[in-house]
Structure formats: structure tokens, C-alpha cells
Amino acid sequence: MKKLRLSPLLFRRIHKWVGLILGLQFLLWALSGSVMALLDKDKVGGHGGGMSHSHPLPPGEYHDVAALPDGEPVTGVVLRDLGVRPVYEVESAKGTRLVDATTGEDIRVDQDMAREVAMMMNEAPVRKVSAIAKPNLESRDHEGAMWRVDFADAENSSAYVTLDTARFLVMRGDTWRTWDFFWMLHNMDYLNRKSFNHPLIVFVGFGALWLSGTGFYLLFKSFSRADFRWLRRRRKPVVTRSTS
């Protein structure tokens, strides 16, 4: 069996191919970073929950929480607005339900209500309302089932509203989708598009470190003393005059 020799030639060959692969990723980093910097930050940012659709709760008598119909033990109650209507979010072991804070009646969250909540954030015509069982890439920062409300505007915007409590979550458009694609290329998280802390980018980081180390090694191996002859200065002969 032929013994593998760790010679400068072997390092040079490996260095060449590793440099080519990592060089392509460096180009992707530069390209994706430039595109993300050039996109309009206001369009990229979208709209998060709890913004312009919030309204102050109207004054008046609210239904007594203790008088709500008995059922599963209640683990939490939140009073909030739903448009201009005060509602309770009642949490129990079965989940969360909405209750009208003035009448005590249960509120059913359907497509029409999801449309109404989404239109508080976008005045464009609604093209489609659909329910999704789990978050997609656009709504990956949130959990649970939700409504997706698609608008017929220039950005092809989509609003996301929680399925059971009609809370507005986020608005996404084409500019954000473009940014998100290049964000995926930038952080190399091709599945979740969330974090820099994953094995692939750690591997590339160590690969870049190895590339730098072998580059310095090959740099010094590429030179010899003959390459530095021009730096040597010849001593000029000293001329002395003799006196007689």
C-alpha cells in the first residue's frame, strides 16, 4: 500500500479545491449582503402584531369573568380589543377561546373575522382567505394554526392571524420574500432560515480557517533564498587616497 506523503504539492491540490468551493460561498455572502442592504427596509420589515389595529378599550360595564359558563378549569384570562370590541381570551386545558367581554357569549373566529382583522393593516382588496395547520416560512416566528389572508396589492401581501384568537401576527410581501431568500443564502440555513448557529456554517468557518493556515504554509514554501537576492545590497568598495 502506497504511503500518503504530506508534501507541499498535496496541500496545494487540496488548498486549490477547498478554495474554489469556499470562494463560491464568499461570493454568495457578498451578493446576498449587497442585495439585502439595497432593499427598502420599510417594505422588508412588514408589520408585526400589536400595531395600528390596537384600540383603547371602551368604557362601560364588562361581563364578570367568574360568571362565564363552567367547563374546563380556567388557567388564564386576558382582556383585549378585537377591533373596537372588548373581548376575553379564556385559556383552559382544551385551549384558548374568545368571549365577548360585554355579553359573555363565545365568539367564533371564522374567515370573515380573519379578513376583518387583516384589513385593519391593509386596505387593499382581499384575494383569498385560507387556514393553515402550522406555520410556513413566512410565519415561522410564530406557533400554532393560523389564517392566511392574501391581498391583491402591488406587494402580493399576505397577513397572518391566529386561528383561535384572531390576533394579528405579521404581514409579508414580495420585497420581504426576496430579502428572505438572500437571507437564506447569507446564513446558509437552507431549511429553517433562522440562525447562524448550525453545523454547516460552523464547518465552513473551520474550512476558511484551514484555508488560511495552509495558505500561509504554501506561501512560505513557494519562496527560496534566490527570490530575495535583489534585497541584498553589495558593499561598495572604499576608495582611499594615498599621500606622499
Side-chain angles (χ1 to χ4, degrees), residues 86-230:
V87 296
Y88 290 123
E89 282 187 12
V90 182
E91 299 180 9
S92 66
K94 289 184 177 180
T96 304
R97 74 180 197 273
L98 279 186
V99 177
D100 192 307
T102 57
T103 65
E105 297 178 355
D106 286 346
I107 299 175
R108 180 173 175 267
V109 181
D110 54 11
Q111 289 188 4
D112 292 335
M113 181 170 291
R115 180 194 303 263
E116 179 183 346
V117 171
M119 291 185 68
M120 295 177 189
M121 301 297 297
N122 193 334
E123 297 179 354
V126 174
R127 186 172 64 244
K128 181 182 178 182
V129 181
S130 55
I132 56 177
K134 59 182 180 180
N136 55 18
L137 284 176
E138 295 183 1
S139 58
R140 59 181 178 264
D141 294 332
H142 305 277
E143 297 179 352
M146 57 190 70
W147 296 99
R148 171 173 172 158
V149 183
D150 296 322
F151 292 91
D153 58 2
E155 280 285 311
N156 293 313
S157 302
S158 297
Y160 293 88
V161 179
T162 54
L163 192 72
D164 52 357
T165 61
R167 279 186 179 270
F168 175 80
L169 296 176
V170 72
M171 182 87 69
R172 300 302 192 194
D174 284 345
T175 304
W176 180 89
R177 295 180 184 107
T178 302
W179 180 92
D180 190 55
F181 173 77
F182 285 99
W183 166 252
M184 174 192 68
L185 297 180
H186 201 72
N187 69 3
M188 301 179 67
D189 188 358
Y190 300 108
L191 296 178
N192 300 316
R193 305 186 185 184
K194 281 187 175 182
S195 173
F196 282 99
N197 300 321
H198 55 85
L200 179 58
I201 200 167
V202 172
F203 177 78
V204 171
F206 278 106
L209 182 63
W210 182 89
L211 192 69
S212 301
T214 55
F216 275 108
Y217 169 75
L218 294 173
L219 176 66
F220 288 107
K221 283 292 184 180
S222 299
F223 288 98
S224 64
R225 290 185 178 182
D227 295 316
F228 296 94
R229 287 178 180 175
W230 62 276

